[in-house]
Amino acid sequence: MKYTIKLVWITMMIVIMGHESMPVAYGEIRMDNIERLPEWEMKKSSLGGTLLLSDSPEMVESDGILYQDKVEGSVRLFFYHVNASKTAKKMEVVLENNGKEVAHVNVSKFSLGGPGYAWLAVGKETQMSYFTGGAAEYQIDIPPGGVIPLAAEISATAVLPNMLINGIYDFTVDRQINVKVMMLPLFEESVTFSKIAQVLPADQWHLRGTFEGANRKLYSVDPYNPVLYRAVGITLADNVIDPYLQGIDAIDGTKVVNYGNYGVVYEIKPPGKNTRRISYYLVPLGGYYAGAIGIHHPEVNWSPLATPREKIHFEDNKWKEFSFLGTYDSSESLSFTFSPPGASNLPVKLVILSQ
């Protein structure tokens, strides 16, 4: 086990219920010098999957194709766009089958947030819905030469100027198809438009592309020893301890980086095998933040948990805001599902504190 620096104690005052219930409102918490907490070493492995990220141009001023690429197998599409024009628009995602056989697409999990003016709230809504996973899966059969929308609800609501729309769609496809993410006039027919639309150039941040490794697993090899180290941290999405995905913009061939790992879903297995009750906290390190986290434990029935739960988002108030994720007797049975939420700043830290 490697540690980056010796422990700086955390002083906490919290008010909680038993771990069989959802965490309630907490009192004051001070996390001074949290950056100096010992970093718990986590092993990382890819669980596969192709990620299509469409977030550039983020502010869409013209009609056209925002991103497209050919995919097959296990795919996650994450799109995040704001209507920056002066008129109402609609978003659409179409699937094109240019092959000679029917392509079978199974959409297993999906979430759509917005359109809305409160961008942090839209990102949080998208994550809460995605982690809840309540929507029924469905199948799309695309005939040879066919073009079919991925989901009718994407284009069902007008995206007014300055509104954000954010979507996450997981699907598998048995043969190669072309995925097109578009913004278009409100009353334009989507399939017809997809055949003549021009690709819009990326903005200066170039946050779009195709990335391998849509699903990531983090796990600890060594048990947590609360006698030696009362508090430790696990840093997520910082590009130092937790690297960002690197991929290709399929439109122009540019090498790109997924700054923030948006669309990547983490399975986190914190260190267990302890004899003390252990509490967990999610601490935003980058400023404004609003999302959700999945909590998996035999005695938890209130997952996913909004982060934060008592308000829409954390303020830009570094080190002074956090989400309490619960206190557990048997942490070896605990895991978290995390994904960087759209509109939020990163990184975040998962803090582990023995009682």
Side-chain angles (χ1 to χ4, degrees):
M1 173 61 59
K2 296 189 296 183
Y3 299 96
T4 57
I5 195 166
K6 75 174 185 177
L7 175 64
V8 177
W9 288 99
I10 295 178
T11 303
M12 294 182 175
M13 293 175 59
I14 57 175
V15 179
I16 60 172
M17 295 174 62
H19 60 267
E20 294 182 356
S21 302
M22 177 182 292
V24 298
Y26 41 74
E28 180 184 359
I29 181 170
R30 293 182 56 213
M31 289 194 171
D32 299 329
N33 300 317
I34 195 171
E35 287 180 307
R36 296 172 59 196
L37 278 179
E39 182 72 27
W40 191 265
E41 184 180 19
M42 299 290 284
K43 300 293 183 181
K44 302 174 179 65
S45 63
S46 174
L47 298 179
T50 298
L51 172 64
L52 298 180
L53 175 64
S54 183
D55 186 16
S56 183
E58 178 179 325
M59 309 298 292
V60 184
E61 299 178 353
S62 306
D63 302 323
I65 297 170
L66 306 171
Y67 190 62
Q68 66 175 345
D69 197 6
K70 297 178 176 66
V71 294
E72 62 181 307
S74 177
V75 181
R76 175 173 302 119
L77 170 65
F78 183 100
F79 61 83
Y80 178 99
H81 294 284
V82 175
N83 178 8
S85 74
K86 296 181 180 180
T87 60
K89 301 291 182 181
K90 67 178 179 180
M91 281 285 299
E92 188 66 280
V93 179
V94 296
L95 311 178
E96 297 179 341
N97 179 11
N98 297 316
K100 297 181 179 180
E101 299 183 54
V102 175
H104 303 286
V105 180
N106 185 68
V107 181
S108 57
K109 194 173 184 179
F110 58 93
S111 174
L112 185 67
Y117 293 112
W119 298 354
L120 283 161
V122 171
K124 187 174 188 177
E125 171 194 359
T126 307
Q127 280 218 323
M128 283 294 291
S129 176
Y130 181 79
F131 286 136
T132 299
E137 64 181 80
Y138 61 94
Q139 184 165 311
I140 303 171
D141 297 324
I142 313 172
V147 182
I148 297 180
L150 172 62
E153 66 266 17
I154 296 175
S155 60
T157 304
V159 185
L160 301 181
N162 209 39
M163 275 187 172
L164 165 70
I165 185 167
N166 180 202
I168 309 173
Y169 286 78
D170 291 356
F171 60 91
T172 56
V173 56
D174 61 354
R175 60 191 69 255
Q176 190 179 82
I177 61 171
N178 189 38
V179 179
K180 287 184 178 179
V181 181
M182 307 180 299
M183 187 167 283
L184 60 157
L186 191 59
F187 299 106
E188 189 81 23
E189 203 282 318
S190 301
V191 172
T192 302
F193 180 82
S194 72
K195 296 177 180 179
I196 61 171
Q198 299 297 308
V199 177
L200 300 182
D203 58 28
Q204 60 180 318
W205 296 281
H206 212 132
L207 196 57
R208 73 181 185 192
T210 303
F211 304 85
E212 295 304 319
N215 301 288
R216 180 173 292 185
K217 182 177 183 179
L218 274 61
Y219 59 96
S220 174
V221 174
D222 299 305
Y224 167 51
N225 187 336
V227 175
L228 295 177
Y229 296 92
R230 187 183 176 208
V232 296
I234 299 171
T235 302
L236 303 171
D238 70 331
N239 203 31
V240 177
I241 295 168
D242 181 32
Y244 294 154
L245 289 182
Q246 300 185 32
I248 299 291
D249 181 339
I251 293 173
D252 60 15
T254 304
K255 292 183 179 179
V256 289
V257 176
N258 182 352
Y259 293 100
N261 273 349
Y262 297 104
V264 177
V265 174
Y266 291 68
E267 177 187 319
I268 304 169
K269 180 66 177 175
K273 300 180 181 179
N274 58 78
T275 57
R276 296 188 180 188
R277 288 168 59 81
I278 295 181
S279 298
Y280 297 84
Y281 305 83
L282 185 74
V283 183
L285 303 182
Y288 292 102
Y289 184 94
I293 191 166
I295 305 174
H296 313 285
H297 188 275
E299 297 174 348
V300 167
N301 59 7
W302 33 259
S303 177
L305 182 69
T307 53
R309 187 171 69 88
E310 76 290 350
K311 57 185 178 179
I312 295 296
H313 61 84
F314 291 120
E315 304 294 334
D316 188 11
N317 197 3
K318 206 171 186 181
W319 320 135
K320 295 183 179 180
E321 296 199 88
F322 67 98
S323 280
F324 173 55
L325 307 181
T327 300
Y328 304 91
D329 287 319
S330 52
S331 294
E332 63 270 16
S333 302
L334 176 68
S335 66
F336 299 102
T337 304
F338 167 81
S339 187
S344 289
N345 295 303
L346 296 158
V348 300
K349 190 180 287 286
L350 182 66
V351 173
I352 304 172
L353 175 71
S354 69
Q355 299 299 305

